[in-house]
Amino acid sequence: MISQGLASNGAKVYITGRRVDVLESTAKAWAEKKTGGPIIPLQMDATDKESIQAARNIIGEKEGRLHILVNNAGQSGPLSPFLNEPSPSAQKDASTLGPALFASESFEEWKDLFAINTFSTYFVTVAFLDLLDKGSKDREGYTSNVINITSISGLIKLAQRHFAYNSSKAAGSHITKMLSTEFAVKGIPVRVNAIAPGVYESEMTHDVISGATATDKVGMPIVSVPAKRPGTAEEMAGTVVYLASPAGEYMNGQELVIDGGYLAVNPSRT
């Protein structure tokens, strides 16, 4: 959604990931449309510093600068599905819930999840910071920008069956604000914002996204999403293009929520 949205508006887009075949098939499918800017596959593991540095060096050698960095790596992590079990036997009191939560997840699972959902945002951003700084010098009044894809799960006060995922996304929200502030007070002309999507189709959610109850299956709300549907590719891409374009130049350190009204009707910290 994001890469095609940027490319369709003329951007030259590098897409990264661990699976080269997936990257190449995506780039090939886009090239066949013969429209907009190119999408170029570049292997990078966002949880490995050597891999991040190698990708940064390739971009540096080929382009010399970078205007837009989107941090979008993520996975769902350990689940405790019984948190939302409607059955009479579900763990609901302290004597059963505590031990069940303690046993169902591990330190290793939490660490691995934070590595991809949270740590990667920090390390990828600082690795590419010098190239982003150079990109800001291309046009007077323009600043390169970082767009972190967080989630309403980091803003909702429900665990949604996954304490680890929601905690990692909340951390991503705060990393966004810290990076924005540190760069600003040091006079580095690179903006940092975030987008917190609600329910959108992705590799992580596609198995349960179909049907009228899709948003409830994925988001596990107390009150159903007012929009009564998942978000669309146009809505995601359009929000990214807005932040990356001159129209978003005055926005820095903010997190845009695009969730169909999910947080409007469910307990959140916003």
Side-chain angles (χ1 to χ4, degrees), residues 69-90:
L69 172 65
V70 179
N71 287 307
N72 190 39
Q75 65 185 34
S76 58
L79 289 172
S80 294
F82 50 82
L83 278 173
N84 292 81
E85 282 288 340
S87 70
S89 60

Side-chain angles (χ1 to χ4, degrees), residues 82-115:
F82 50 82
L83 278 173
N84 292 81
E85 282 288 340
S87 70
S89 60
Q91 295 89 340
K92 295 176 181 177
D93 58 75
S95 63
T96 57
L97 181 60
L101 288 170
F102 188 83
S104 67
E105 302 177 15
S106 69
F107 276 89
E108 289 72 22
E109 288 175 313
W110 276 63
K111 180 190 69 176
D112 291 344
L113 184 72
F114 268 76

Side-chain angles (χ1 to χ4, degrees), residues 140-181:
E140 185 177 354
Y142 172 82
T143 49
S144 297
N145 62 105
V146 178
I147 302 171
N148 297 326
I149 308 302
T150 54
S151 173
I152 57 166
S153 290
L155 301 170
I156 194 73
K157 290 189 282 189
L158 298 169
Q160 299 171 302
R161 301 178 301 171
H162 38 51
F163 276 94
Y165 179 81
N166 292 25
S167 300
S168 70
K169 288 299 184 177
S173 298
H174 196 56
I175 282 176
T176 297
K177 294 184 180 296
M178 289 191 292
L179 289 171
S180 168
T181 296

